[in-house]
Amino acid sequence: MNYLIGAFKSPCHISINFVDGRTRKQVQLKKENGQTAMVPLFRSQESIVGEVVLEPIQGKKVEHTGVKIELLGQIELYLDRGNFYDFTSLVRELDVPGDIYGKKNYPFEFSTVEMPYETYNGVNVRLRYILKVTISRSYVSNIVECQDFVVRNFTPPPSINNSIKMEVGIEDCLHIEFEYNKSKYHLKDVIIGKIYFLLVRIKIKNMELEIRRRESTGSGANTYVETETLAKFELMDGAPVRGESIPVRLFLSPYELTPTYRNTNNKFSVKYYLNLVLVDEEDRRYFKQQEIIIYRPESS
């Protein structure tokens, strides 16, 4: 039995080390198996520098036809699981064909890498960046090791950030005006606003404000949309009267938000909405939805 286990064990251990691995910020990344791991954080235009270490199992010789490291940016649609769309692909050859008898170290560097999209794990799609080391072999399977890292890109505050003003009405029954202080928010921002009741002829039981994330993948007839409610915030409990004003103050920092992504590599989009929900005493629900833009500030 031990012989069988050994037969399938890789004859060479591969480790990928970042040159600034001890000092670079680490962030959590959710893996395919649902577990999380701490991985290095980068941003676009940074250089990725490190070392690959190969260690054959004691007493083993590894014959190979070349060793290489790739930096890959990939998008995987879960409806097409296993097929990765590479939007970034860089290669460095580390070794020419030969034999490895003992531990070998290979420095590598990818200079000022263009990484335009952020790492994203969604309902139907994921975008990831990996370093992939391949020891190519002729008559047996290649030996491969991958190392994830995360990319986050920052956006300066918008020069124009208009407030949102909208009216909601049911003819001769309900007329509401609501106002939010701006239309673009950073990830740790606070949504501040007011809701005015101009006409109330139905019995409102309560009112909530929801944050919704809408992820769309594919295109045309093959577009798939998933909507998640990330937060529910009760604004009012009880019947309002005409002329009443309800304040809104919703902190975004407790919620796991990402920036708004628009048509990332023509594969997917992620948008955010504020959804105002009113419920009457007969449990009928009235909605009004408004898109907001989320961005990542330099300090996050």
Side-chain angles (χ1 to χ4, degrees), residues 126-259:
R126 72 167 170 161
L127 188 153
R128 70 172 187 170
Y129 290 90
I130 59 169
L131 290 174
K132 179 181 178 183
V133 173
T134 304
I135 302 175
S136 300
R137 301 194 290 173
S138 294
Y139 303 111
V140 286
S141 59
N142 295 340
I143 306 170
V144 177
E145 180 68 29
C146 294
Q147 168 67 54
D148 289 279
F149 61 94
V150 166
V151 171
R152 291 178 182 168
N153 292 320
F154 306 108
T155 304
S159 55
I160 299 173
N161 199 346
N162 297 322
S163 61
I164 299 172
K165 292 183 181 179
M166 295 188 73
E167 292 187 1
V168 185
I170 303 169
E171 194 173 355
D172 295 331
C173 295
L174 183 68
H175 188 186
I176 298 173
E177 193 176 86
F178 63 88
E179 181 178 347
Y180 303 121
N181 61 329
K182 49 192 178 183
S183 53
K184 299 170 184 174
Y185 297 88
H186 64 72
L187 292 168
K188 306 297 182 186
D189 220 333
V190 184
I191 295 172
I192 297 172
K194 279 188 178 181
I195 297 172
Y196 306 94
F197 289 88
L198 305 176
L199 177 65
V200 185
R201 287 183 181 162
I202 55 176
K203 293 184 177 179
I204 302 295
K205 185 167 65 174
N206 63 13
M207 180 168 60
E208 294 176 339
L209 184 64
E210 298 174 340
I211 301 175
R212 290 189 169 187
R213 175 162 56 213
R214 184 175 297 165
E215 175 191 286
S216 57
T217 56
S219 59
N222 296 318
T223 300
Y224 296 89
V225 178
E226 288 282 347
T227 301
E228 298 174 88
T229 300
L230 304 178
K232 283 188 178 182
F233 180 69
E234 187 172 77
L235 297 174
M236 182 194 72
D237 185 12
V241 296
R242 181 179 177 180
E244 191 168 356
S245 171
I246 306 293
V248 176
R249 192 174 184 85
L250 177 58
F251 291 83
L252 298 181
S253 54
Y255 307 109
E256 291 187 15
L257 306 178
T258 68

